[in-house]
Amino acid sequence: MHRLSLGAGRGRAAIVWLASIACFTLAVLALVLFFPWDILRGPINRFVSDDLGRKFEITRRLDVDLQPWPWGVTTVRADGLELANPEWATDAYLVNAKSAEFEIKLWPLFLGRVELPRVKLNQPQLSLQAEPDGRKTWALSRDTSDADATPLIGSLVVDKGLLNYRALAQGADMAVNFSVVPEGSQQLPLTFKVGGKWKNQPFSAMGRTGGVLQLSKDISQTFPIEVNATAGRTTLKAKGTVQNLTELAGLSASFDLQGKNLEELYGLLGVVLPATPPYKLSGQLDKSSDVWAATKIRGVLGSSDLSGVLTFDNSSAKPLLTGKVQSKVLDFEDLRPVIGLPVKSGGSGSAARAPKEASAAKPVMAEPLASQTLTAGRKVLPTAVLDLTRLKAMNADVMYTALDIRHVEELPLDKGSVQVKLTDGILQLDPLVLGVAGGKLAGRLVVDVKVQPAAFDARMTASGLALNQLFPTVQTTKSGFGKFSGQANLKGRGNSMAQMLGSANGDVALLMGNGEISNLLMEFLGLDGGEVIKFFLRGDRNVQLRCAAAAFDVKQGLMRSKVIVLDTTDTVVNGAGQISLADETLDLTLSPQPKDKSILSLRSPLKINGTFAAPTASPDKAALAGRLGLGLALGAINPFLALLATIETGPGQDADCTGSLAIAANTANTASSASSANTANPKKAASILPPPGGKAKPAVGAVQ
């Protein structure tokens, strides 16, 4: 009995003890659930204000749904909320809302972190400001430059209000008005309108988005967004979804982008792109981590089309742009801004193309003095200073292909491709391949912008350039045929194409073997009046071209001839002189020596002078005056004797084509052009040319 009573006593004691714990727990829960939290509003306002060093106040009522466990999420409701900005800020309040409800994790508070999984604001007035020294108004600490003091907000719900955002480093000063539309549009209930400046340029935007804005990268949900924004002269329309609004992570949207110049995107987005005419582009834009991908790109730049894919990786200290783009049709007028050529008045594209300046592209025999004065000061080489320093802002590896190049006045281009590589301030166009006059111009161009002025190294090889296509505006070359080859190796310094070529050092060479050329052109060069008269009566006929070669040494932009020779079955033309790339001037002398007898000939050396914009060609006045003087003296005795001074006995001999080609080919480094036409190799050229000093058979139909 004693033992039974003892056991029963212990059982009753345990029950009492458990009941006591249960009552205490219920009392605590009751206290938590029914505690009048509003009585703590004053102490909380003072504590937070003292801790942050700025005013914090729940103005009307405080209510809390407290979770008993430290790792739980507690909901705080504040009727009237004011949180002041630091004293250095422009606006008085960071947050001023009619009411606020936010979820807060208690456990991170012990570690000094503020984590708010969800924040809901009613009619808020928000002001965010960031300074270049790292201070931020939303850093909840006395030290507003402390990055760890920034609260982590998972999602934000707002109904109607205003957000001001200022960031001097970004050139941003914007005001965002937002409101919730009526219940009829549940998917995109929140509308917004933005006005102000971005990158110090006028900025405006409007659009719609989901009612819950995801701000944390830890949330995997997405919400829809539509935006129509204008910054400066650039307009963007986008529609899609985004996962994290703060970092735009998980963005997937279709876009339409248009503006006056793709180069302006550098100032807005930090992407280095070439200067272009007005453009309109569309495609798909996706962002994963720090990588932006633009796919399905379609659009136009001026009168040229563009398509392809581009990826912008911003994960490293220096961003990387990669991709492949192409144009089915490239209008050369749209390429002018890229290479520094002035855009013609009236805009870009074929519709606005100015009349061709044919007179500036070919020598003039007798141009009025006033006209020469107008064109003498005009520069042909692009003088526009290119902003090359921005090339140090990022790296790139982009392939561009143009399947058809049209409307080229300066050079008969038909297609091209280039691999653009940009690495730590060194720009490489390698390989660079252009279809020119039925042949190919290939090589590489390297520009180092780490030095000032920028340094360039160009190595280009030409092969298979057709004579009748190379000079499309010169009528006398259209009936001829033959293939040109050549090479240019140049190095220089400058920030424009004119500066680079004006300081260039290196060598240039052109080669041509068997072919045909207009006899009329040759006789005009020699001022053979008798032959010209026959051509007017019988028509022009081609004459066989045995060889042609030109080689120049280039030092500080001055091209000095090593050899200039053009040999046909009836004339040998030897030349000498110099071309200044710095001054854009010409000083060449061509000396024709006929292989046939002719009367009415006033053959004398032909002087080519003037500028690139206004070249002139005229006989050597001293030599011509000698012949004219002899003719006048003989004419004083007998008028028919005056013809003796114009009779050409034909002392010209065949040029040493093999030797001339060898000199030019040595300058052009034929080892790098072994795969081009036989005329580019002096040994192979010699096998198809007559021996030095030998007579070549005239071409069929050639005038003798």
Side-chain angles (χ1 to χ4, degrees):
M1 292 293 296
H2 176 71
R3 292 179 178 177
L4 289 175
S5 61
L6 181 60
R10 289 177 177 175
R12 286 192 297 270
I15 293 173
V16 172
W17 184 75
L18 291 174
S20 300
I21 293 177
C23 291
F24 178 77
T25 301
L26 290 174
V28 170
L29 289 175
L31 180 64
V32 169
L33 292 174
F34 301 103
F35 182 79
W37 291 99
D38 192 57
I39 65 174
L40 298 179
R41 179 160 49 93
I44 290 176
N45 289 343
R46 291 189 294 272
F47 174 79
V48 175
S49 297
D50 292 341
D51 187 57
L52 298 182
R54 49 178 140 157
K55 178 184 177 182
F56 172 84
E57 183 176 3
I58 300 172
T59 58
R60 290 185 291 274
R61 180 175 177 79
L62 170 66
D63 194 13
V64 178
D65 289 339
L66 181 65
Q67 295 293 328
W69 305 108
W71 51 84
V73 176
T74 295
T75 300
V76 178
R77 299 181 183 87
D79 187 9
L81 177 66
E82 295 179 356
L83 175 57
N85 265 324
E87 59 182 11
W88 51 263
T90 302
D91 294 332
Y93 287 97
L94 174 67
V95 181
N96 188 346
K98 183 177 180 180
S99 64
E101 177 181 305
F102 54 90
E103 298 175 350
I104 184 170
K105 293 183 178 181
L106 299 180
W107 180 251
L109 290 176
F110 295 100
L111 303 177
R113 299 196 310 269
V114 179
E115 296 186 15
L116 307 173
R118 180 182 173 92
V119 175
K120 182 178 181 181
L121 301 175
N122 176 227
Q123 299 184 21
Q125 305 289 315
L126 307 173
S127 177
L128 308 179
Q129 185 171 338
E131 295 296 293
D133 58 8
R135 290 178 296 168
K136 300 179 179 64
T137 58
W138 59 92
L140 301 183
S141 170
R142 287 183 176 270
D143 180 9
T144 54
S145 62
D146 184 3
D148 294 333
T150 301
L152 178 62
I153 301 177
S155 61
L156 175 65
V157 181
V158 293
D159 54 359
K160 180 181 180 181
L162 173 67
L163 166 65
N164 291 321
Y165 177 73
R166 297 181 178 89
L168 183 62
Q170 297 173 314
D173 187 356
M174 298 183 293
V176 184
N177 287 279
F178 48 85
S179 61
V180 174
V181 298
E183 294 295 326
S185 180
Q186 290 294 322
Q187 188 179 11
L188 298 168
L190 183 64
T191 64
F192 60 88
K193 186 175 182 179
V194 186
K197 290 186 177 181
W198 173 257
K199 297 296 182 180
N200 295 317
Q201 296 190 43
F203 179 85
S204 63
M206 60 185 302
R208 302 183 302 166
T209 184
V212 180
L213 308 180
Q214 308 293 351
L215 304 181
S216 173
K217 62 183 179 180
D218 298 327
I219 298 177
S220 59
Q221 297 177 353
T222 62
F223 63 96
I225 187 170
E226 292 181 6
V227 63
N228 185 346
T230 300
R233 302 188 299 174
T234 303
T235 299
L236 171 68
K237 293 181 180 180
K239 181 178 181 180
T241 59
V242 64
Q243 177 179 322
N244 175 0
L245 189 61
T246 304
E247 300 177 359
L248 294 180
L251 174 68
S252 180
S254 60
F255 71 88
D256 291 284
L257 180 69
Q258 67 181 59
K260 296 295 184 181
N261 191 336
L262 276 177
E263 190 178 35
E264 296 177 357
L265 293 183
Y266 174 73
L268 297 174
L269 304 175
V271 182
V272 180
L273 294 173
T276 67
Y279 63 89
K280 292 182 179 181
L281 301 172
S282 63
Q284 175 69 26
L285 184 64
D286 296 279
K287 185 176 186 290
S288 177
S289 297
D290 292 319
V291 179
W292 296 78
T295 58
K296 302 178 182 178
I297 299 174
R298 296 287 186 276
V300 294
L301 289 80
S303 298
S304 306
D305 68 278
L306 189 73
S307 62
V309 296
L310 289 171
T311 300
F312 188 69
D313 188 346
N314 203 23
S315 59
S316 301
K318 187 169 291 188
L320 173 64
L321 178 68
T322 58
K324 292 183 179 181
V325 291
Q326 75 168 19
S327 297
K328 293 181 180 179
V329 176
L330 170 63
D331 192 318
F332 186 78
E333 292 300 310
D334 301 327
L335 195 62
R336 298 177 73 91
V338 179
I339 58 180
L341 287 170
V343 178
K344 295 183 178 180
S345 60
S348 173
S350 57
R353 193 169 296 107
K356 295 183 178 180
E357 300 174 1
S359 61
K362 59 183 180 181
V364 291
M365 298 297 294
E367 186 178 4
L369 179 61
S371 178
Q372 293 188 29
T373 303
L374 291 174
T375 58
R378 186 171 64 84
K379 294 293 185 180
V380 172
L381 298 177
T383 58
V385 177
L386 304 174
D387 187 1
L388 300 175
T389 56
R390 65 177 55 179
L391 296 180
K392 295 184 288 186
M394 74 176 203
N395 296 330
D397 188 354
V398 178
M399 183 70 186
Y400 173 72
T401 303
L403 302 180
D404 185 6
I405 304 177
R406 299 180 182 177
H407 305 124
V408 187
E409 298 177 4
E410 292 81 358
L411 197 64
L413 298 174
D414 51 44
K415 59 184 175 182
S417 65
V418 60
Q419 185 86 21
V420 181
K421 302 174 185 177
L422 180 59
T423 307
D424 297 330
I426 297 179
L427 174 66
Q428 298 183 66
L429 306 182
D430 183 19
L432 172 61
V433 181
L434 299 173
V436 182
K440 182 173 69 173
L441 182 65
R444 63 192 292 262
L445 172 64
V446 179
V447 181
D448 185 353
V449 301
K450 293 185 295 184
V451 296
Q452 284 298 323
F456 85 96
D457 183 353
R459 299 180 180 273
M460 302 298 297
T461 299
S463 59
L465 275 60
L467 172 64
N468 58 350
Q469 299 181 42
L470 191 58
F471 306 104
T473 61
V474 181
Q475 185 67 31
T476 51
T477 65
K478 290 186 177 181
S479 61
F481 67 85
K483 297 289 186 179
F484 273 100
S485 297
Q487 186 163 310
N489 301 311
L490 298 173
K491 294 182 179 181
R493 301 281 296 273
N495 293 327
S496 70
M497 188 175 296
Q499 292 176 3
M500 291 179 180
L501 293 177
S503 65
N505 297 301
D507 49 71
V508 176
L510 284 174
L511 311 172
M512 183 174 175
N514 281 354
E516 289 188 4
I517 194 169
S518 167
N519 209 354
L520 179 58
L521 174 64
M522 297 304 301
E523 301 305 338
F524 266 127
L525 288 177
L527 297 181
D528 189 339
E531 293 294 336
V532 171
I533 291 175
K534 287 196 297 181
F535 294 148
F536 284 144
L537 295 175
R538 299 166 50 185
D540 186 20
R541 300 181 184 181
N542 286 350
V543 64
Q544 183 178 359
L545 176 68
R546 299 179 67 249
C547 72
F552 295 85
D553 279 332
V554 185
K555 292 184 179 179
Q556 291 298 308
L558 186 62
M559 300 174 58
R560 295 183 182 273
S561 64
K562 292 177 64 176
V563 60
I564 300 176
V565 63
L566 190 150
D567 184 18
T568 72
T569 53
D570 97 329
T571 303
V572 176
V573 179
N574 290 291
Q578 63 187 31
I579 301 172
S580 174
L581 299 175
D583 300 332
E584 297 193 14
T585 57
L586 303 165
D587 185 9
L588 298 173
T589 300
L590 302 180
S591 301
Q593 297 180 1
K595 299 178 184 178
D596 57 348
K597 296 181 181 180
S598 177
I599 64 171
L600 298 179
S601 175
L602 297 176
R603 294 183 186 271
S604 65
L606 185 69
K607 303 289 289 185
I608 299 178
N609 300 108
T611 66
F612 293 178
T616 61
S618 61
D620 187 304
K621 295 180 181 179
L624 186 58
R627 287 209 172 210
L628 290 174
L630 178 59
L632 291 174
L634 293 174
I637 302 173
N638 187 328
F640 291 101
L641 293 180
L643 293 176
L644 293 176
T646 66
I647 294 176
E648 183 62 73
T649 57
Q653 300 293 323
D654 288 343
D656 180 4
C657 289
T658 303
S660 298
L661 289 172
I663 293 174
N666 180 62
T667 303
N669 188 12
T670 55
S672 65
S673 57
S675 61
S676 61
N678 289 341
T679 55
N681 188 313
K683 293 183 179 180
K684 293 183 179 180
S687 67
I688 61 174
L689 295 173
K695 290 290 185 179
K697 295 181 179 181
V700 176
V703 177
Q704 296 296 309

